[in-house]
Amino acid sequence: FFRCAAFALFCLLCYGFQGNSSIDNFNGTSGLLKPRVVDRDPSKLLYPLQWIHTPKTGTSFANVLYALSCGEDLKNLKWDDQILKRHSVDSATDIRGASEHCRLKWTHGEWVYDPKKVKKGFLIGKHSYRNTSIPLQSIFVSIREPVSRLISHFIYQNDLKAVVGSQEAFDIVRKSNRFDLFSRFQTLMVLPETRTNTSLLNNLTVLKHFACQTISKVAWVGLTEKFDCSVCLLHSMYEFPHHPRETFNMRPAKIYGFNESEIGRMIRKEGAIIDDILYDCAKARFERDVKRFAPHCC
């Protein structure tokens, strides 16, 4: 017995702790595992990358994604107002100070809007459908609660400019010929297959499986309504320098004070919102990642 026990202990000491990621990557503060050091190195990502940026899901995420992919551009900068301006996302969704080498680290899919209006340059935040020719591990996604995004998009289009009540807002949103597009916009961008195979949108069970499977494989999911927490999570998943404006709202939206929950109940009473399915998958993935990698963030 003693001989066997001694041999077992010897094997454990010699082999049990060698390369054991559960030991090497244990976060003593949270008691949870963190990604291995090699997995946190942004240089190991599968470039080029794409950020799926549906309209009204947070242009400001561009700053932290820029820092993630182009830390070499930032680490030796002497920050002043001019440098900060050139190396932060601007109103044209560009980062003027980004190097050519950095720009080549990002790609895009088919443009959402007229491609003639898309200028050459830093394309991290331009709106484009997911590029299905690159692996899902190269995809970063920002997702917003569907009704909140829907209302924000209608406000941006000036459709709700003079509206004050939930019922009036609901009537305008639901009767608009843009409702179908806006209520599934995130799904179409993350799952561009649904643009050609529209039958996927009619079978919600199949759509949920497809959406959750896709979301489970992307590099990172950020939630617009959990912006600061999403930025913190990204830093916990990957090792890269902080951007001075990574939690700064670069394009503040107009505040109209609509009761989004009430409008959401009205809309969902009439039928399903397609983007709800993708959002539920994204929210579950986000919560799993926070629990596993960054419980201190939220």
Side-chain angles (χ1 to χ4, degrees):
F1 171 80
F2 290 109
R3 224 188 268 176
C4 291
F7 179 72
L9 180 60
F10 172 78
C11 290
L12 180 62
L13 291 173
C14 289
Y15 303 107
F17 297 137
Q18 290 186 12
N20 188 327
S21 61
S22 295
I23 298 297
D24 295 340
N25 300 290
F26 187 74
N27 187 327
T29 302
S30 65
L32 299 175
L33 297 180
K34 61 183 179 181
R36 294 180 304 157
V37 173
V38 66
D39 294 333
R40 298 185 72 219
D41 183 356
S43 70
K44 305 298 183 184
L45 287 166
L46 300 177
Y47 292 93
L49 311 175
Q50 184 186 4
W51 170 29
I52 309 297
H53 175 210
T54 307
K56 315 312 296 178
T57 63
T59 299
S60 302
F61 278 125
N63 287 334
V64 72
L65 291 171
Y66 170 47
L68 166 78
S69 59
C70 306
E72 292 299 313
D73 281 22
L74 301 182
K75 68 179 184 180
N76 295 320
L77 291 178
K78 303 296 183 183
W79 294 103
D80 59 30
D81 289 346
Q82 191 61 32
I83 293 294
L84 190 58
K85 183 177 181 180
R86 284 185 52 76
H87 288 272
S88 299
V89 67
D90 62 18
S91 59
T93 325
D94 191 8
I95 296 181
R96 308 291 176 181
S99 66
E100 187 62 27
H101 174 70
C102 173
R103 294 170 187 274
L104 294 174
K105 290 185 175 183
W106 292 90
T107 188
H108 57 83
E110 182 182 343
W111 298 115
V112 171
Y113 301 118
D114 186 354
K116 295 178 182 178
K117 295 182 179 180
V118 179
K119 298 178 180 179
K120 291 183 179 180
F122 193 73
L123 306 175
I124 185 175
K126 300 295 185 183
H127 305 304
S128 70
Y129 299 99
R130 194 185 97 235
N131 185 337
T132 56
S133 69
I134 63 176
L136 289 171
Q137 293 87 342
S138 301
I139 301 294
F140 292 74
V141 182
S142 56
I143 298 287
R144 183 173 181 177
E145 194 284 318
V147 171
S148 178
R149 199 212 71 80
L150 187 67
I151 292 172
S152 183
H153 208 156
F154 274 100
I155 290 173
Y156 179 74
Q157 297 288 336
N158 289 321
D159 292 336
L160 300 177
K161 191 172 183 179
V163 178
V164 292
S166 297
Q167 182 63 53
E168 187 180 0
F170 162 75
D171 290 338
I172 292 173
V173 167
R174 193 63 188 86
K175 293 175 182 177
S176 170
N177 58 10
R178 291 194 288 259
F179 175 80
D180 284 345
L181 172 61
F182 285 5
S183 63
R184 62 184 63 177
F185 215 157
Q186 297 182 99
T187 301
L188 296 174
M189 292 190 66
V190 176
L191 307 174
E193 298 87 346
T194 58
R195 298 174 63 212
T196 52
N197 184 3
T198 55
S199 63
L200 287 169
L201 299 174
N202 298 323
N203 188 328
L204 301 188
T205 301
V206 173
L207 180 63
K208 180 178 180 179
H209 176 75
F210 183 37
C212 288
Q213 187 178 54
T214 300
I215 285 293
S216 71
K217 297 177 181 178
V218 300
W220 167 83
V221 173
L223 298 184
T224 309
E225 60 271 25
K226 296 281 187 180
F227 186 88
D228 287 3
C229 183
S230 298
V231 170
C232 181
L233 171 63
L234 190 62
H235 276 290
S236 295
M237 295 177 72
Y238 303 98
E239 184 71 35
F240 62 98
H242 289 272
H243 189 287
R245 286 185 171 175
E246 63 185 27
T247 57
F248 188 78
N249 189 348
M250 303 298 293
R251 300 176 69 181
K254 297 177 182 178
I255 304 299
Y256 279 73
F258 292 121
N259 188 328
E260 294 179 353
S261 297
E262 186 177 17
I263 296 172
R265 285 193 295 271
M266 293 178 184
I267 294 174
R268 292 181 178 103
K269 187 176 180 180
E270 291 201 351
I273 297 176
I274 295 296
D275 273 354
D276 274 345
I277 294 172
L278 179 72
Y279 178 76
D280 287 344
C281 296
K283 186 170 183 284
R285 160 72 193 273
F286 174 81
E287 290 173 348
R288 287 196 304 271
D289 285 350
V290 168
K291 184 176 181 180
R292 184 182 180 191
F293 301 132
H296 60 286
C297 288
C298 301

